[in-house]
């Protein structure tokens, strides 16, 4: 059965001790689920009855291409003016609850597993039916001469097939919501699934920046030179070229939502 993690909110009891494994280095950050409490939430103008955890934002000298929010909206809450930046594109991925996303005047029901891509400049709004929790990943779109901007679309985790990685026997797969060679897109937000015992069998080292939110399961993850035990709701934030690898250690699939920037020249000037 597919389940999705959520921030715990609240506050730990006074008997707890602040030793949750949070790490911030020059190469990566590990933000455990246990840090996503009430006192670290933020709010936005033009939203009703919402709060959010900002778990990634552009930082000079670190990861610079994207922001990542986990948004919680009370029943009836939402926004008619959700985005303030006309250059921002977005992916929304719902983990809990129900609601309605309106894209260019068309309504789309939201439920756990819903996935929406929203191009820059798109007219959209969102209303929660029940308590709604979703990931909101934003990136300034980089246009390419002669390449049209992407179209908006709404799909779901359940409707997107797992694509096994070569020579893995299906133990390491990716749910790709956009085709890798679709050059209209300059970011991918996918779901990676490793079956119990599955591995990423080499330390990936590449130009893409990453945000990885663990949706389900347990894993042992290599970040630069350090191995970390990670589980539901933990977040890993990697700058370019940070080595990474993974071993799925639990008895259920290990799944994470993965951001990366793709398909564009490297900027040579600020």
């Amino acid at each position: 059965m597919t389940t999705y993690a959520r921030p715990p909110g609240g506050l730990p009891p006074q008997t707890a001790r602040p030793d949750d494994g949070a790490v911030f280095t020059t190469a990566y950050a590990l933000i455990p689920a246990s840090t996503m409490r009430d006192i670290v939430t933020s709010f936005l103008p033009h939203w009703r009855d919402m709060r959010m955890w900002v778990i990634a934002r552009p930082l000079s000298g670190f990861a610079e291409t994207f922001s990542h929010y986990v948004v919680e909206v009370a029943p009836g809450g939402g926004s008619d003016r959700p985005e303030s930046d006309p250059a921002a594109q977005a992916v929304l991925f719902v983990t809990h609850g129900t609601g309605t996303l309106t894209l260019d005047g068309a309504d789309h029901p939201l439920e756990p597993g819903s996935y929406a891509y929203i191009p820059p400049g798109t007219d959209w709004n969102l209303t929660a039916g029940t308590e709604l929790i979703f990931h909101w990943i934003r990136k300034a779109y980089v246009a390419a001469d002669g390449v049209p901007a992407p179209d908006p679309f709404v799909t779901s985790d359940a409707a997107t097939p797992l694509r096994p990685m070569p020579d893995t026997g299906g133990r390491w797969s990716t749910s790709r919501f956009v085709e890798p060679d679709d050059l209209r897109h300059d970011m991918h937000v996918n779901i990676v699934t490793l079956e119990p015992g599955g591995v990423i069998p080499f330390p990936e080292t590449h130009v893409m920046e990453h945000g990885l939110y663990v949706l389900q399961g347990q894993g042992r993850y290599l970040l630069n030179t350090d191995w970390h035990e990670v589980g539901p709701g933990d977040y890993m934030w990697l700058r370019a070229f940070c080595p990474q690898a993974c071993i799925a250690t639990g008895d259920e699939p290990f799944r994470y939502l993965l951001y990366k920037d793709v398909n564009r020249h490297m900027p040579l000037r600020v």
Side-chain angles (χ1 to χ4, degrees), residues 242-254:
C242 177
Q244 59 167 314
C246 180
I247 304 169
T249 57
D251 57 4
E252 63 178 331
F254 177 60

Side-chain angles (χ1 to χ4, degrees), residues 172-228:
W172 172 18
S173 302
T174 303
S175 302
R176 293 192 175 97
F177 298 97
V178 170
E179 292 298 325
D181 61 354
D182 185 344
L183 296 182
R184 298 175 302 167
H185 288 272
D186 69 345
M187 74 171 181
H188 291 161
V189 179
N190 298 323
I191 296 176
V192 175
T193 301
L194 289 108
E195 298 298 326
V199 301
I200 297 176
F202 68 101
E204 295 186 39
T205 306
H206 48 59
V207 72
M208 286 87 80
E209 298 177 348
H210 275 346
L212 299 87
Y213 184 92
V214 181
L215 297 168
Q216 178 184 11
Q218 304 286 331
R220 189 164 177 256
Y221 217 97
L222 174 67
L223 299 169
N224 198 17
T225 59
D226 310 316
W227 286 93
H228 295 277

Side-chain angles (χ1 to χ4, degrees), residues 26-50:
T26 57
Y28 71 90
L30 171 59
I31 305 175
S34 58
T35 70
M36 299 181 200
R37 301 293 183 168
D38 288 1
I39 63 171
V40 297
T41 55
S42 298
F43 305 90
L44 287 175
H46 313 302
W47 281 79
R48 307 177 307 279
D49 301 322
M50 69 84 75

Side-chain angles (χ1 to χ4, degrees), residues 55-118:
I55 53 177
R57 55 158 292 176
L59 289 179
S60 179
F62 190 69
E64 299 178 334
T65 61
F66 73 108
S67 67
H68 190 154
Y69 310 152
V70 183
V71 182
E72 181 182 276
V73 187
S79 179
D80 297 324
R81 297 173 59 188
E83 178 57 69
S84 61
D85 186 343
Q89 60 187 319
V91 162
L92 310 182
F93 181 75
V94 177
T95 60
H96 296 81
T98 60
T100 302
L101 171 67
T102 303
L103 282 173
D104 287 334
D107 290 343
H108 301 272
L110 299 176
E111 61 183 9
S114 292
Y115 180 108
Y117 172 75
I118 304 172

